[in-house]
Structures are given as structure tokens and as C-alpha cells.
Amino acid sequence: MEQTFAVKLEEKRYTPDPRCRAAARVPDYAQAYSEFMRDPEGFWDRIARELAWFRPWDRVREWNYPYARWFVDAKLNITYNCLDRHAAGERKDKPAIVWRGEDGAERTFTYEDLYREVMRFANGLKALGVGKGDRVCIYMPLVPEQVVAMLACARIGAVHSVVFGGFGAGALAMRINDAGAKILVTADVGYRRGKTVPLREIATEALASAPSVKRVVVLRRESRGPDLDPAREVDYMALTAEAAPDCPAEVMDAEDPLFILYTSGSTGAPKGIVHTCAGYMVGTYYTTKCVFDVRESDVFWCTADPGWITGHSYIVYGPLAVGTTVVIAEGTPDYPDPGAYWRLVQDLGVTIFYTAPTAIRMFMRYGDEWPAKYNLSTLRVLGSVGEPLNPEAFEWYYHRIGGGRCPVVDTWWQTETGMHMVTTMVGEAMKPGFAGKPIPGAVVDVVDRMGNPVPPGTGGFLVIREPWPAMLRTVHGNDERYRTYWETIPGCYTAGDLAVKDEEGYIMVIGRADDLIVVAGHNIGTAEVESALVSHEAVAEAAVIGKPDALKGNVIKAFVTLRVGANPGDDLAEELARHVKKNLGPVAVPAEIEYMDRLPKTRSGKIMRRVLKARELGMDPGDISTLEE
Ligand code: WTA
């Protein structure tokens, strides 16, 4: 985007019952925000004191632009707060995780159970030679053991890198190599729509080009599970059965890394976003408690996979630090039928429900009769994340799912931010189409290229002006890429999103400003898909754009030029789709592939995706003075 632009803003608003506002954890947003602004360090200091520490901090924050340290010199272990604290107290017998399998199987872990499981697996990892600072890659289906594996790493100070179980072998290998993981934790299979996903097979293929991995832990779910390769593979159950039951929490420094999580980059390879222990813990704890307004009796269901940041922050660390009951379910929203989610809400008495706009739009398409069949009266707070919640989807969610009773918190944040940054806090007036305002604790603005705030109604770049506790600390192995976030617009962290504010300061997020495509809430880098296409022998060059889609937000359209001798046609298009799927996984597969004689390029040889996009969408391509001819 070269300039700012005007945006027409909707006027509609929903003002909650004053009782809802009075009862909220943050009953007066404006007051809480100004208290935060008056004394940011005091604000975070008070929140951090609600948690347990092995040693307190000397200073809340140290800001050496663009590097921040939070809770300086404090010692802690995040799992002590997620597990020990509850298992030793009144939440001992409270369900921590309630898991539902696709076939309806159910498993419940109390806080005491989870604590024991995590310690056993942590000892298992130690027995395999894993220690503080070692990287462990977790490539699993959505089962309790996925969460256990994450917590077990954190318990012993190993750095986890969770790779979503929907990724293909190429994406997995790249992530293992970049992180230098020495252990891989996987499962024989995942289940999806009644079929099995052969995770171990995919992992084995990935390991052929990922030599850093020395041992593989395999969770065997199928009764006729695979024979393991004794030289490399270990059975998950055998490993934990042999392990000692007690594993004290490793004493971690506030700034020790907690995990690496890969997110798509616009310039090629995915970026390994690094989060550290203390700030991430405090940020996710606070936002879970205050944005979702969590109470002791809540049953919290975030429908994400722990393999995404949403799962890290709002399935695992935030909710467990707060001590709530977390529901996890393996399966898709419309399998075996489009009532699957609502049945689960009814069966388990879910009170807080957090999902993505793409799922909401899918439910809208299936019709009102599906949610109407179930008792959804336990729901109290609804959340949305991953892409803009368009006004139509907001209305449907608010009325059909929330019965017009439940606040909808549309939370804007990123893998990089680690925690929520913008939303409409429970009790505040909601405006469909707008995520809301910066939460107390975040300083967010919409600015021009120079960092000057743009007037209301004018689009600009979404930026964060001050460091925050759960911010990324670096990009693994590429600190320069980290600095770019803070150096693109002077004095600010640039999120890469376009946004607009209204007169009251509500922020509407419009979409990505860079070469990322958000498909069904998943960030896909154009470069990643292009390089997967080009890795096929028939393809010479590829350019990929996002095309608006009523259901998925965006779908991928690929333009390819072929090598001489290759035959354009449907067979090849199908083969290319399979090729991308194998490399990157199903979310990255182009919905459309178009053959071209050549791609529009700049004189310096950069593919001009916006020209393709403009043509595709019938828009003005903007400045094309740099076009090749
Ligand atoms: C988009 C997911 C509008 C945005 C937590 C952001 C959103 C990217 C919202 C980060 C929202 C996320 N409204 N857009 N409420 N939430 N996004 O790293 O473009 O997977 O930059 O983190 O998703 O995606 P990521």
C-alpha cells in the first residue's frame, strides 16, 4: 500500500446489559486503560504478583529498542503455575482437560492427573537425553498427549516447536531443520472425517532430510499399530510407564526461551517466532482471565489446534495458568454432521467458546436449524480470532449462537504478539466489523508510513507503539528479520495488517498489507506456496494471490508458467495440487491454477502479484510504472 485510503464505517452497535458490565473482571474499560497508561510497569507488576515465582524480578521491564526484557532476573517455571499450583490446592480434582475424539470417545484429566502425566513424560524426555535449551519438535494430532508433550518440554526447560499435524513432510522437515530439533514426538495417526492421517509415515519421510532428529517418540493409537524401528523410535506409553513419577520444575530465567513457533513469512522461509518464559506467561494469563472474563466454574473451549499460536496461548498456557477447565476435541466442525460443535457445547456445558470466522461462516451456510437443535444456554462469552469477523458473521454468531446474551470478543493478535492486543472487553459496546480497542496493557495505533496517526475513517498500518510482555523476542536464527518488525515504520512494531479507526477509537482490521494470505484463518505465505509449485518439474515460475472467498475469507489462486514440454491441462493442475498438499499440507493447496505464458514482473525481476490480483478481481492495478514492459 502506497498511501492511506478512505474507508466507509458502519454505525451499528450493541450495548450490553449494564449488569454484564458491572460483573465483568474489568468493569470499566476506560478507567482500566488510563490506569495502565499512567503506570504501565505498575500495571504489569500487579498482574505478575498473582502468579508463583521462584525468585521475583528486579525490574518489570527493560527496553533497549528494539529489544525488551520483562520481569528482569526473575526465576520461574510456567508449568509450576499451570500445574503444581492447582494440583496442590483446591483445583486438584477439577478437570483440567476434557478431550473428545472424533468417534465420541472421551478422556478427562484432572489437574492432579495432568500434573502426574506431564512429570512422567518430562522424565521420559530426560531419559532420551533431552535437557534445558534442547529443541523438541511436536507433530501430533489433537490429543491430550500433544498438550502433555508441550508442558513436559516446558517442565524441563526444553524448547518446543509444535508443527501443526496438517502440514506435509516438506514443511515439517524445514521446521525441524531450522530449529535443529533433536527429538520428534509424533503419533501413528490422526483421525479426520473418519479417515486416518498417517502422521508417522509423513514424519518418517520428513526425517530423511532432517538429520538433527536422533530419537522419535511415537504415540500408538491404532490397535494394530506399526512396528517401531528400535534404532530410532520409542513407544510413548512404554516411555512414560518406565519413567519416575516426580519431576521437579526446572528453574528458568524470565528470558529463557519457552518455545519456537513457525509462522509464514512474506520473503520466503517461515519464521521461527521465539517466545520466552515470564512475559509470555504473564501476558497469556492476564488476557485469558480478563478478555474471556473467566470464572471458577467456566468450561472453556477454544476450537483451535495447539499447533497454532491460538492453541499455545488459549488452550494450553493461558487457561491452565488461570486454572480453568479446558475442552479439546479432535475433529472437524461439520463431521459427522454440522451439529458436531453444538452437541459438544451442550454435552459438556461449555460456557466460553472461542473459534474462527471461517468456521462461523461455514455454520451460517449450513443454516440456523443446526444450532437450534441443541441447548446452548450455558454459553456466556463468545470469542473470534484469526481474521476479520465480518458484520454478517458477527450478527449470526451473536444471535444464533449467543442468543443475543453473550458478549462477542473479536480478538486481534498474532503469533508474534503471543497474546490478545485488541478486542472489545466484556461489558463494552460492540460494533460489528470492528475488533475493538487496545486492551489495557497494549498501545496500538493506526498510522501512515512515517508512524503518524491517521485520522478516523482513514486506512493505515496497524502498529504497536510500546513493548508488551508476551512479545516475540527474536526470529530463531534470523535476528535481522526480528529487527525489521520494529524498523519498517519508525518507532513502532509493524504488524503487517491494514486497519482503520473510527471516531471513538474502535479498530477495524482490513487484512494483510504484505504477501500473506489468510486462508480459513491460517497464514499462508505466497512465497512458500510458490516455491512448492516451482519444485515440481513441470513448473517454471509461479505467482500466488489470495482471492476473497465467502467461506474461507480467502482462497489461493496460483498462476504458473510451465517448462517447455509440459502439458497444461486438468491432469497437471491436479498433480500440482497434490504436490503442494504433500509438501505443505491441505491448507496451502491452490483452489485455482491458471497457466500463463509469462508472469508480470518488475524490471528488477520481482513478480508483481498485485497486477495479477487486480486483473483477477477487476480492480485498478495501481502504480505499474515498474512493470517490465
Ligand atoms: C489476522 C493468530 C482481523 C491478522 C492469532 C493477523 C485478524 C494474523 C484477527 C495473525 C482479528 C488475527 N481480526 N484479523 N480478530 N486475528 N488476524 O499469526 O492478519 O496465525 O496479522 O495469529 O491474522 O495470524 P497468526
Side-chain angles (χ1 to χ4, degrees):
M1 193 192 59
E2 306 303 329
Q3 279 129 17
T4 53
F5 52 94
V7 179
K8 193 175 158 288
L9 301 175
E10 299 233 2
E11 291 299 318
K12 190 153 184 184
R13 70 162 69 211
Y14 287 98
T15 309
D17 187 323
R19 278 171 305 182
C20 160
R21 185 179 150 111
R25 285 213 183 251
V26 179
D28 185 340
Y29 163 81
Q31 190 196 330
Y33 198 82
S34 61
E35 266 172 31
F36 154 67
M37 287 300 269
R38 219 175 303 130
D39 178 15
E41 296 194 9
F43 174 89
W44 288 113
D45 184 90
R46 279 192 299 281
I47 293 164
R49 281 172 198 280
E50 295 175 17
L51 293 158
W53 303 78
F54 300 144
R55 179 191 187 280
W57 47 97
D58 293 331
R59 280 183 310 290
V60 171
R61 171 187 118 166
E62 200 177 86
W63 182 221
N64 181 11
Y65 188 89
Y67 299 103
R69 295 170 70 200
W70 283 86
F71 307 104
V72 178
D73 290 336
K75 305 289 176 207
L76 74 150
N77 188 296
I78 195 168
T79 70
Y80 189 90
N81 281 287
C82 293
L83 301 170
D84 306 48
R85 215 159 54 96
H86 309 310
E90 282 171 8
R91 299 195 181 105
K92 182 168 178 277
D93 299 319
K94 177 175 177 172
I97 291 184
V98 181
W99 173 83
R100 190 57 91 82
E102 209 182 53
D103 59 357
E106 199 168 300
R107 293 163 71 195
T108 298
F109 292 75
T110 64
Y111 270 96
E112 165 89 17
D113 298 336
L114 186 63
Y115 172 58
R116 300 277 160 219
E117 280 294 313
V118 167
M119 289 198 293
R120 241 178 251 119
F121 192 59
N123 281 327
L125 288 174
K126 278 188 180 170
L128 297 178
V130 180
K132 188 171 176 174
D134 286 339
R135 269 85 61 214
V136 174
C137 179
I138 300 173
Y139 178 65
M140 295 189 89
L142 214 177
V143 288
E145 287 77 6
Q146 184 189 26
V147 177
V148 169
M150 292 167 73
L151 292 165
C153 288
R155 186 81 180 168
I156 62 175
V159 178
H160 58 68
S161 162
V162 184
V163 177
F164 173 56
F167 275 122
L172 176 60
M174 183 267 138
R175 285 159 176 76
I176 291 173
N177 288 328
D178 187 83
K182 82 184 213 195
I183 300 283
L184 174 69
V185 185
T186 189
D188 52 356
V189 294
Y191 299 110
R192 198 180 148 81
R193 297 182 178 279
K195 297 205 181 84
T196 57
V197 182
L199 293 176
R200 173 174 171 267
E201 248 173 75
I202 298 169
T204 304
E205 191 187 331
L207 291 184
S209 55
S212 60
V213 169
K214 301 296 174 238
R215 305 300 297 274
V216 182
V217 183
V218 184
L219 176 74
R220 289 199 275 184
R221 309 178 72 195
E222 298 271 82
S223 51
R224 288 153 43 84
D227 287 335
L228 300 184
D229 167 4
R232 188 164 72 183
E233 293 174 319
V234 203
D235 178 84
Y236 183 105
M237 291 302 171
L239 185 69
T240 48
E242 287 158 16
D246 287 306
C247 177
E250 184 76 30
V251 176
M252 303 296 285
D253 184 79
E255 288 297 326
D256 279 336
L258 174 64
F259 64 84
I260 303 173
L261 183 60
Y262 286 85
T263 184
S264 299
S266 56
T267 52
K271 296 170 284 192
I273 302 299
V274 177
H275 282 286
T276 56
C277 294
Y280 179 80
M281 171 176 80
V282 173
T284 54
Y285 164 79
Y286 157 67
T287 46
T288 303
K289 181 175 144 186
C290 293
V291 171
F292 294 117
D293 196 39
V294 174
R295 306 302 157 84
E296 196 56 52
S297 57
D298 275 318
V299 176
F300 184 100
W301 185 20
C302 163
T303 67
D305 186 282
W308 307 110
I309 192 66
T310 302
H312 280 59
S313 299
Y314 301 110
I315 292 175
V316 184
Y317 292 111
L320 295 178
V322 171
T324 195
T325 294
V326 177
V327 172
I328 55 176
E330 182 180 25
T332 34
D334 58 348
Y335 182 88
D337 63 53
Y341 273 20
W342 317 126
R343 201 153 47 240
L344 196 55
V345 168
Q346 172 181 289
D347 287 0
L348 300 179
V350 172
T351 59
I352 303 176
F353 180 73
Y354 192 32
T355 197
T358 185
I360 298 168
R361 290 191 295 263
M362 187 186 81
F363 290 128
M364 285 171 73
R365 201 182 59 174
Y366 282 121
D368 297 356
E369 61 272 25
W370 286 102
K373 284 186 198 175
Y374 300 96
N375 178 358
L376 305 180
S377 66
T378 51
L379 289 172
R380 204 168 67 70
V381 177
L382 301 177
S384 172
V385 60
E387 50 188 320
L389 180 63
N390 51 305
E392 300 71 30
F394 175 98
E395 298 283 348
W396 190 86
Y397 198 30
Y398 181 67
H399 292 290
R400 297 291 156 262
I401 304 306
R405 274 184 346 266
C406 308
V408 173
V409 289
D410 175 3
T411 57
W412 177 87
W413 59 295
Q414 307 179 296
T415 304
E416 292 88 336
T417 71
M419 62 184 240
H420 300 150
M421 300 304 281
V422 174
T423 195
T424 302
M425 301 287 286
V426 165
E428 292 297 303
M430 294 169 281
K431 296 188 180 183
F434 289 84
K437 298 183 185 176
I439 64 164
V443 186
V444 180
D445 208 348
V446 182
V447 302
D448 64 19
R449 260 187 203 290
M450 294 315 300
N452 305 307
V454 293
T458 303
F461 299 98
L462 192 58
V463 297
I464 304 169
R465 290 200 182 275
E466 293 285 331
W468 63 101
M471 64 189 259
L472 75 165
R473 297 303 196 268
T474 188
V475 173
H476 184 71
N478 190 353
D479 195 58
E480 201 181 318
R481 187 62 196 81
Y482 167 75
R483 287 197 304 275
T484 309
Y485 284 105
W486 288 94
E487 288 166 358
T488 304
I489 295 177
C492 307
Y493 167 90
T494 305
D497 283 357
L498 301 176
V500 60
K501 269 198 208 177
D502 71 1
E503 297 283 350
E504 288 177 281
Y506 280 69
I507 295 171
M508 172 187 283
V509 181
I510 298 166
R512 298 293 303 176
D514 54 20
D515 291 332
L516 287 184
I517 307 173
V518 184
V519 181
H522 300 153
N523 259 339
I524 313 284
T526 50
E528 229 180 333
V529 182
E530 287 162 4
S531 69
L533 285 165
V534 173
S535 72
H536 189 279
E537 63 208 3
V539 177
E541 278 189 308
V544 155
I545 62 163
K547 249 179 104 165
D549 179 80
L551 194 59
K552 296 184 171 173
N554 293 284
V555 292
I556 297 171
K557 167 145 191 188
F559 299 85
V560 296
T561 60
L562 297 183
R563 285 174 195 270
V564 183
N567 268 331
D570 292 348
D571 287 352
L572 179 60
E574 273 168 34
E575 194 181 315
L576 291 176
R578 271 198 305 277
H579 182 73
V580 174
K581 182 171 172 186
K582 184 157 182 270
N583 267 278
L584 299 176
V587 288
V589 173
E592 279 176 58
I593 295 179
E594 183 176 328
Y595 301 106
M596 308 263 292
D597 291 333
R598 75 177 112 174
L599 298 173
K601 287 191 190 158
T602 63
R603 285 161 218 232
S604 62
K606 283 204 183 68
I607 296 172
M608 292 186 84
R609 293 182 193 83
R610 75 186 151 92
V611 172
L612 290 167
K613 186 158 182 166
R615 200 203 63 181
E616 185 70 27
L617 305 180
M619 301 181 324
D620 174 8
D623 175 22
I624 49 168
S625 58
T626 56
L627 196 62
E628 208 172 20
E629 56 213 50

